[in-house]
Amino acid sequence: GENVEQHPSTLSVQEGDSAVIKCTYSDSASNYFPWYKQELGKRPQLIIDIRSNVGEKKDQRIAVTLNKTAKHFSLHITETQPEDSAVYFCAASPMNTGFQKLVFGTGTRLLVSP
Amino acid sequence: KAGVTQTPRYLIKTRGQQVTLSCSPISGHRSVSWYQQTPGQGLQFLFEYFSETQRNKGNFPGRFSGRQFSNSRSEMNVSTLELGDSALYLCASSYRDRDSYEQYFGPGTRLTVT
C-alpha cells in the first residue's frame, strides 16, 4: 500500500522567511496530492492540491511542486506570517472512479515568529 | 454552502461500550470518508462510502463499521470500545467525480474511552 513520508517534523522560521515542507510517496499509482493545514483544535483545511499531470501549482503565497519520477512533492510558503503557524499535512491518493483513499504524512509543525 | 458537520462533538465512553458517530456532508457531495487522528498514529483512513456502498477500507479491525444513507449522511460505529480507540474521528466529504477530487473535513468528534 501507499506510504507517505514527511519532513521536517518541526520547522521554525522568522516572519517574512520562506518555509519548505517535503513529502515522498511510494505508490506510483498515486496521482492526487493535497496539502492540509490544521490549526490547534480545528479541522484540517485544504490549502492547495496538485494532480500528477501538473508539475507546479501556485496560489498567492503558497505553491506545490511535484516530481513524479522521484516520487516527491513539496509545499512552499513565501513571506510567512504568524497566522501561518499550524501543522501541515501532505497526502497522496490514487484517484479513479473505483475508490478514493488519502494516505497522510505525519505532519510538520510550522512556527512563524514575529 | 454549509460545511461538513459532525455530531456529537465530544463523547466519553467506557471500555466495552459501543458508539455511533454521525457525519453530514456538504450538500451535493456523494462521498464520505472517515479518518482517525491520534498523536501517535496521525491521520489514518478508516473507510469511504459512496452511493451507500463501502468503496474502500483501511487497516482497522472489524469493530469499526459504517454506513451511508440515501441522503449521503454517514454514520460510523465502533463496538466493544478499547482505551486505544480514544481519538479524534474526522469525516470528509467529496463530490467525487473525474474533475473533483477535493475532500473537505468536518470538525471531528473527540472520543474518550475510559
Side-chain angles (χ1 to χ4, degrees):
Chain A
E2 176 64 278
N3 182 54
V4 177
E5 294 189 359
Q6 183 172 348
H7 299 281
S9 56
T10 59
L11 180 58
S12 294
V13 301
Q14 292 292 121
E15 183 177 0
D17 287 349
S18 294
V20 180
I21 302 170
K22 298 182 179 182
C23 290
T24 60
Y25 61 100
S26 60
D27 190 350
S28 57
S30 288
N31 57 2
Y32 175 64
F33 308 93
W35 287 87
Y36 287 85
K37 173 185 179 183
Q38 188 175 29
E39 297 175 79
L40 190 62
K42 297 193 175 180
R43 71 187 78 189
Q45 178 188 0
L46 178 66
I47 57 172
I48 196 167
D49 57 11
I50 193 167
R51 303 184 188 188
S52 60
N53 59 350
V54 175
E56 183 175 359
K57 184 176 178 180
K58 190 174 181 180
D59 182 5
Q60 298 183 344
R61 295 187 298 108
I62 61 173
V64 57
T65 59
L66 171 65
N67 183 326
K68 284 194 300 182
T69 303
K71 293 197 184 77
H72 67 71
F73 57 113
S74 300
L75 177 72
H76 304 253
I77 306 174
T78 58
E79 301 172 20
T80 54
Q81 301 168 2
E83 51 265 39
D84 294 330
S85 296
V87 179
Y88 290 81
F89 293 95
C90 63
S93 176
M95 303 302 293
N96 55 48
T97 56
F99 62 91
Q100 181 179 84
K101 173 182 176 179
L102 289 177
V103 176
F104 284 87
T106 49
T108 295
R109 185 172 300 279
L110 174 64
L111 177 61
V112 181
S113 302
Chain B
K1 284 186 180 178
V4 180
T5 59
Q6 292 186 245
T7 57
R9 294 293 311 279
Y10 302 91
L11 209 47
I12 300 175
K13 290 287 188 178
T14 305
R15 271 183 304 174
Q17 288 186 316
Q18 74 165 20
V19 67
T20 299
L21 313 181
S22 180
C23 173
S24 292
I26 292 171
S27 178
H29 282 195
R30 304 177 293 173
S31 165
V32 174
S33 297
W34 288 89
Y35 296 85
Q36 181 195 66
Q37 186 173 29
T38 60
Q41 299 298 318
L43 274 158
Q44 292 188 290
F45 173 80
L46 281 155
F47 29 65
E48 184 210 4
Y49 284 86
F50 178 75
S51 294
E52 301 178 61
T53 302
Q54 186 181 94
R55 299 293 176 143
N56 200 8
K57 193 177 191 309
N59 297 324
F60 280 83
R63 300 184 297 105
F64 291 82
S65 64
R67 59 177 175 169
Q68 186 180 34
F69 302 94
S70 58
N71 61 358
S72 295
R73 189 178 70 84
S74 177
E75 288 183 347
M76 188 191 102
N77 185 76
V78 188
S79 62
T80 320
L81 284 165
E82 300 178 359
L83 295 179
D85 296 334
S86 294
L88 180 66
Y89 290 90
L90 293 156
C91 73
S93 79
S94 171
Y95 184 72
R96 195 158 156 333
D97 67 6
R98 289 184 188 276
D99 297 319
S100 180
Y101 296 172
E102 298 83 0
Q103 290 191 28
Y104 298 95
F105 282 88
T109 294
R110 172 76 62 186
L111 172 64
T112 302
V113 182
T114 62

